[in-house]
Amino acid sequence: MSLRPLIASRRVILCVGCGGVGKTTTAAAIGLAAAAQGKRTLCLTVDPARRLAESLGLSEMKHEMQAVDSERFREAGVDVTGSLTVMMLDTKGTFDELVARYASPETRERILRNTLYRYISTSLAGTAEYMAMEKLYALRTDPRWDLIVIDTPPTTNALDFLDAPERMIEALDSPVFRWLVSAFEPSGKLSVNLLARGAAAALRGMGRLTGTGFLEALAELIVLLNDMLGGFRARANEVQKALRGPDVAYVLVTSPDPLSIREILYFAERLRELSMPRDAVIVNRMHRDPGARPSPEAVRAELAARGVKLEADGETRVLRAFEDEVRQRDLDRRHLGALEALEVGEQRPLRVSVPALIGDVHDLRALAKVSAALAPL
Ligand SMILES: Nc1ncnc2c1ncn2[C@@H]1O[C@H](COP(=O)(O)OP(=O)(O)O)[C@@H](O)[C@H]1O
Ligand SMILES: [Mg+2]
């Protein structure tokens, strides 16, 4: 199977899965496949490995957009008629843009200077997820791109980003938040009344924030944020709606490892509950089918042809390695049986496998191999 139909028909492809399975690599490879299909593609990564940047001819991934030089594609023998631009998600920068959009100029400066804001915009759980979706929302209708491929943050819980807009809205609408606002507001700015003190104590649990100035910073931030709440909430609603749009494809990335498969199944179930589609499952790093078992003579001849000298039991060891490969492949197949649970009913996700390459994905040729496995003609 191939991701080609998704690449051809959608505007956004969201790669989801737990950390370490190759999510960032596959997002970049989908981007490359799309560029090869003639799309002007933007790939938004979250935690790119340095080697991925290098393989694209970039010294590093930046928060700014960087177009991959078409000369690189030519060198690697990849025929690209579109273009590939990459960019790394900037959680704080995205949050700052939101503040700039919804707060009045005076309020904006005070929010950006607030010490607690700095914490919330970088480290508070859920912020990275929300900002990834926010960025996606902002770029989705940008006419410069035909397709946006997005890698999601490597959270312990692969579902966090899906709920992020909802949770943002819930938090803003929650009685606790309302209570905090009313607790701080009457006192004007920095004088903190008793009720607010209680509230602040309750809030301390959200981070290791202690010391003097905490209450003042909190009081100020809550009053300031309240000022931009209306716009913010409407925006979160829009983002939430956009995530359900027909132009968004959900691609689940897993390895053949049973734990990662279990996570993907759980994730797929959550998507179903949220009436969101499961468009494709990518199984990355599959053990290859080693083919027919060679005879000891064939092994000997092959080794001799390559100039490899082995000890006396060399052939036996090579054959043992071969059998290990067969076992690994059989194990992969057995583990993947669990994915069949997704392949019932009307809307069946595409299933695409990517072989484990020797070494990691360290150059454009290797990335092109992943890309070719994902979107064969
Ligand atoms: N099919 C593959 N074959 C070999 N190495 C791979 C493959 N897919 C990913 N890798 C390597 O695995 C490592 C983790 O991949 P990455 O995409 O950063 O994972 P994630 O984003 O899920 O944490 C990287 O070093 C990458 O080059
Ligand atoms: Mg990653």
Side-chain angles (χ1 to χ4, degrees), residues 18-26 47 49 151 284-285 354-357 359-361 370:
C18 44
V21 294
K23 218 170 19 158
T24 305
T25 308
T26 41
D47 60 337
D151 173 26
N284 187 33
R285 300 191 117 162
V354 178
L357 304 181
D360 60 4
V361 179
V370 177

Side-chain angles (χ1 to χ4, degrees), residues 294-312:
S295 66
E297 295 73 36
V299 171
R300 209 172 307 137
E302 187 70 26
L303 290 174
R306 290 170 192 241
V308 181
K309 274 213 178 89
L310 287 182
E311 297 144 52

Side-chain angles (χ1 to χ4, degrees), residues 22-33 35 43 45 51-58 61 68 72-73 76 78 84 86 284 354-355 357-375:
K23 218 170 19 158
T24 305
T25 308
T26 41
I30 293 172
L32 180 58
C43 182
T45 62
R51 296 198 104 172
L52 179 65
E54 284 166 1
S55 71
L56 296 171
L58 308 169
M61 290 279 184
V68 179
R72 299 284 305 182
F73 297 129
V78 192
L84 178 61
V86 292
N284 187 33
V354 178
L357 304 181
I358 298 165
D360 60 4
V361 179
H362 55 273
D363 61 11
L364 196 50
R365 275 180 199 278
L367 191 66
K369 275 191 198 156
V370 177
S371 187
L374 289 173

Side-chain angles (χ1 to χ4, degrees), residues 221-241:
L221 189 64
I222 284 176
V223 173
L224 292 173
L225 284 181
N226 191 44
D227 180 55
M228 53 178 265
L229 217 54
F232 212 69
R233 190 185 294 120
R235 178 81 169 187
N237 255 316
E238 288 298 310
V239 173
Q240 186 186 338
K241 249 192 256 144

Side-chain angles (χ1 to χ4, degrees), residues 141-161:
T141 48
D142 191 322
R144 286 174 294 172
W145 317 112
D146 301 315
L147 179 74
I148 297 169
V149 186
I150 173 163
D151 173 26
T152 49
T155 37
T156 41
N157 183 350
L159 309 167
D160 282 356
F161 79 90

